[in-house]
Amino acid sequence: MLIKWRPTKQVWPRPAPPRSGPQAMEVLLLTGLGALFAAYYWDDNFEPARLQGARVLLTGAAGGAGVGEELAYHYARLGSHLVLTAQAEALLQKVVGNCRKLGAPKVFYIAADMASPEAPERVMQFALDQLGGLDYLVLNHLGGVPAGMRARSAQATHWLVQVNFLSYVQLTKLALPSLTDSKGSLVVVSTLLGRVPVSFSTPYSAAKFALDSFFGSLRRELDVQDVNVAITMCVLGLRDPASTVEGVRGVMRARASPGPKAALAVIRGGATRASCVFYPWRLHLLCLLRGWLPHPRAWFIRQDLNISAVAA
């Protein structure tokens, strides 16, 4: 029995209809933004050798909820000369010992409480005496509302502004002559709260916004005066030390970022004289969206807050 073969007709999928004007523009915009972010974050001219022998004053180098300790360890591995300062002397001594083990040629420390208006001058004079000048001033210290103060009281606001803003201004003013001579860098570690208003952080957020405005204006002044001092603003998200995470447990839903990686991003930005560093990178997109959508609805804010925990 013969079976007659018949060729089957192959059906090819129809091509998708061309996108309409708004859809095409949306795809083009997203593609362009993706390429822009890729170029921005992959353009890395960081040379670790630049930091060997560099003279660094690092504030907030021990304890607290920041990345100061990790910054100190990274600078030590890179062979920088360090002056470290923080409030807790015992913690500072531990960090100094670890930095020496990691290879830092010179490490000095001075305990100081930046809530005192006299502390910045004392710290800066000590650093200049020990190092003979500065190549990097890394401002990293921070302070929350002390125990016994109401969060929104005038007393708490004054304390927060002194620690988180005025002491930064004082240290900068005292360091600028030395940084001008060395063509050095100012590295300012801030947070997303200095770019995007967040609920239940009014005085602290105000101090961080003041930092962003002050150093943005100072950058323009130095540029107009042809002063070769770089200013790098570092916008960091929630970091992962236990004290940080515990302080917002049940209130913030945002996940913490690794401290060592955040610290390395800060050091890279300062060494390459970048104007701004965002870690993690998505914070940059969030800041851009705030500019495009300046009046977000309460629904968007509530996504990162557990309102019931705050009320409790």
Side-chain angles (χ1 to χ4, degrees):
M1 181 178 178
L2 297 176
I3 299 176
K4 189 175 181 180
W5 177 79
R6 293 180 181 179
T8 58
K9 184 178 180 181
Q10 190 169 5
V11 180
W12 296 94
R14 292 183 179 182
R19 292 181 180 270
S20 62
Q23 288 178 323
M25 287 298 295
E26 182 180 348
V27 172
L28 185 61
L29 178 61
L30 291 175
T31 303
L33 283 174
L36 181 64
F37 273 96
Y40 181 83
Y41 286 100
W42 288 348
D43 182 20
D44 186 5
N45 57 348
F46 175 55
E47 297 178 9
R50 292 179 181 178
L51 292 169
Q52 187 169 5
R55 299 164 298 177
V56 180
L57 169 57
L58 170 63
T59 69
V67 293
E69 189 171 339
E70 298 295 341
L71 285 169
Y73 296 156
H74 280 307
Y75 278 120
R77 292 186 188 98
L78 293 166
S80 301
H81 302 277
L82 299 172
V83 169
L84 308 178
T85 183
Q87 187 174 359
E89 185 168 3
L91 293 176
L92 267 176
Q93 291 173 343
K94 183 197 78 169
V95 175
V96 167
N98 291 336
C99 286
R100 287 171 178 157
K101 293 176 183 177
L102 290 170
K106 295 179 182 178
V107 190
F108 307 96
Y109 77 90
I110 175 172
D113 182 1
M114 292 300 172
S116 168
E118 293 77 27
E121 184 172 0
R122 185 166 59 88
V123 167
M124 185 57 62
Q125 191 58 55
F126 177 83
L128 295 175
D129 289 344
Q130 297 299 326
L131 300 179
L134 288 179
D135 299 303
Y136 291 89
L137 171 59
V138 184
L139 299 171
N140 172 71
H141 61 279
L142 55 87
V145 178
M149 287 190 191
R150 289 186 296 110
R152 298 184 185 180
S153 67
Q155 183 186 11
T157 300
H158 183 273
W159 191 92
L160 285 168
V161 169
Q162 172 59 41
V163 175
N164 297 295
F165 174 61
L166 292 178
S167 63
Y168 279 58
V169 174
Q170 291 174 277
L171 287 164
T172 298
K173 178 182 177 182
L174 294 166
L176 268 177
S178 180
L179 292 174
T180 301
D181 291 341
S182 65
K183 299 179 180 180
S185 294
L186 268 165
V187 182
V188 185
V189 180
S190 187
T191 70
L192 185 63
L193 297 181
R195 294 294 185 95
V196 179
V198 177
S199 305
F200 308 105
S201 63
T202 311
Y204 182 78
S205 184
K208 291 302 182 182
F209 264 85
L211 273 184
D212 190 66
S213 179
F214 173 80
F215 284 103
S217 298
L218 180 60
R219 183 187 291 116
R220 292 182 180 273
E221 291 177 13
L222 296 178
D223 182 59
V224 168
Q225 297 169 359
D226 290 325
V227 177
N228 191 8
V229 174
I231 298 179
T232 300
M233 289 294 300
C234 303
V235 180
L236 305 185
L238 180 66
R239 269 109 342 130
D240 68 354
S243 55
T244 309
V245 178
E246 190 61 36
V248 296
R249 190 179 302 281
V251 176
M252 291 293 294
R253 295 192 175 107
R255 291 191 299 177
S257 302
K261 291 184 179 180
L264 186 57
V266 170
I267 290 175
R268 283 176 178 270
T272 57
R273 303 173 79 86
S275 61
C276 200
V277 171
F278 293 88
Y279 188 88
W281 69 268
R282 64 179 178 272
L283 297 185
H284 195 179
L285 180 59
L286 184 58
C287 292
L288 291 175
L289 288 174
R290 187 215 171 220
W292 297 335
L293 304 171
H295 303 293
R297 294 181 181 272
W299 183 88
F300 291 99
I301 298 174
R302 287 171 180 268
Q303 301 315 297
D304 282 335
L305 285 174
N306 184 350
I307 303 297
S308 60
V310 174

